[in-house]
Amino acid sequence: MQPHIFLGLGVHSINGSVCVAQIDLSDNWLEAEGAKALVYGGLFKRSLTSVNLRKNNLRTEGARSIAEGIAAGSPALVYLNLSNNIPVWSNDGNAFAKALVEGGAFTGPLKSIDLGKNRIEAEGIQAFFDGGVFKSMLQQVQQRTPTHTSPHQPTPTHSNPHQPTPTHTN
């Protein structure tokens, strides 16, 4: 039996030409071979800004293919959803994370990636640190943080119900 492919597209127009900006291939059970086909077909060489591959059982091999496709040239991609691609009974989450880093998924303009429900544990998180993924994110946050605030200074609002709110009298 052939699997049914469900496809969602987000389109916009530039100078009268229709451009696909978003593609949603979630819940299609593409697996690693499907990921390879997407890369081979040039999916990541397009002007896509958002790709949703949630729940496709891509596993580690598929993650590596997707990462290599992004690294080979994905000029506009800023959002990628790879959540829920490792089965709950599998312990491949750390290898999945390493494959993304080693394959180069974080070398382009990618700003947001959803990796939820992939069983990524400390070893996978360490791969992100070693690959500089969090360092580049931290630099982006620091560039947006005003210079007059410090994360060590208390905020003027009090949300602790056990601590009285200070009052000022003149």
Side-chain angles (χ1 to χ4, degrees), residues 133-155:
V133 174
F134 295 130
K135 182 178 179 182
S136 64
M137 288 180 180
L138 181 58
Q139 288 171 345
Q140 290 175 12
V141 170
Q142 287 175 339
Q143 289 172 357
R144 287 181 280 199
T145 303
T147 56
H148 65 279
T149 62
S150 168
H152 303 292
Q153 293 176 344
T155 57

Side-chain angles (χ1 to χ4, degrees), residues 93-114:
N94 294 328
F96 185 85
K98 289 178 184 177
L100 290 171
V101 172
E102 293 167 359
F106 304 100
T107 58
L110 192 63
K111 303 254 186 271
S112 178
I113 185 167
D114 186 343

